[in-house]
Amino acid sequence: MAERVWAAITDPAPGAKVSLIAVDTVDEQDWAELDAADAIIFSCPTYMGNVSAGFQSFAERTGRRCLEGTWRDKVAAGFTNSGSKAGDKLQTLSALTVFAAQRHMHWVNLGLPPGWNTSGASEFELNRLGFWLGAGASTEVDADASAVHDADLRTCEHLGQRVATVAGQLLAGRALATSR
């Protein structure tokens, strides 16, 4: 799973625009799109218990945006993937959350209870890996990217919808506040 940033959401709310930006090839147009986005979902593989080197390099290139508050009050969320079921994904999600907080962004959690945790449960339930902070996926290390578990994909889609909803609510609230 390559490092990605979603500027908006997959299958978004009406009117939302989605862009997929690979963080290892960000150019000036990509930076402008990220700076203009209302919401950004950060994603990277969990590698050696943390964000990947590619994402860390991207993070370091956002220092000016941190200092200048360029992404202040944008909505943010994140997801990650690793080979094992736990795989220290919580550490990666925590790192993504701190990254967003340093840039003065509003973090949106997954908003789901843990799935697949009772005797009658199924591995095909949303949030089958039981994360709260963001979405986590598990893909066998010898599989290709198309082998991501269906429940994990649907959990990420749920997170995208949730971010679109929260971003829409925040924008509506701002519009209402400025109209008074």
Side-chain angles (χ1 to χ4, degrees):
M1 177 182 196
E3 297 83 359
R4 300 282 188 254
V5 176
W6 276 261
I9 321 306
T10 51
D11 197 19
K17 178 183 175 237
V18 179
S19 298
L20 175 63
I21 299 170
V23 299
D24 59 344
T25 60
V26 177
D27 59 22
E28 288 306 312
Q29 181 178 338
D30 295 330
W31 286 118
E33 191 160 1
L34 288 167
D35 293 347
D38 297 310
I40 302 173
I41 300 175
F42 302 105
S43 171
C44 69
T46 294
Y47 185 72
M48 303 302 284
N50 210 333
V51 297
S52 63
F55 189 87
Q56 185 59 39
S57 175
F58 165 78
E60 291 173 8
R61 289 180 293 168
T62 66
R64 180 180 57 80
R65 285 161 175 80
C66 176
L67 294 174
E68 294 174 358
T70 306
W71 293 353
R72 178 179 301 280
D73 295 330
K74 291 182 184 296
V75 173
F79 64 92
T80 187
N81 188 359
S82 70
S84 63
K85 302 296 184 260
D88 294 325
K89 286 186 264 296
L90 179 58
Q91 175 62 29
T92 300
L93 291 171
S94 295
L96 294 174
T97 305
V98 169
F99 169 79
Q102 290 172 335
R103 281 134 193 91
H104 318 289
M105 301 172 85
H106 300 290
W107 189 262
V108 175
N109 63 52
L110 189 54
L112 286 173
W116 197 26
N117 66 352
T118 65
S119 61
S122 161
E123 71 175 284
F124 296 98
E125 294 177 350
L126 291 180
N127 198 20
R128 73 184 183 109
L129 300 177
F131 290 95
W132 304 93
L133 201 54
S138 178
T139 306
E140 288 80 13
V141 296
D142 58 351
D144 64 37
S146 66
V148 177
H149 197 284
D150 180 63
D152 297 343
L153 290 173
R154 289 185 297 110
T155 300
C156 288
E157 289 169 357
H158 167 84
L159 179 63
Q161 286 292 329
R162 185 166 161 80
V163 168
T165 298
V166 170
Q169 291 167 338
L170 187 61
L171 291 170
R174 286 181 185 150
L176 183 62
T178 59
S179 70
R180 291 183 174 184

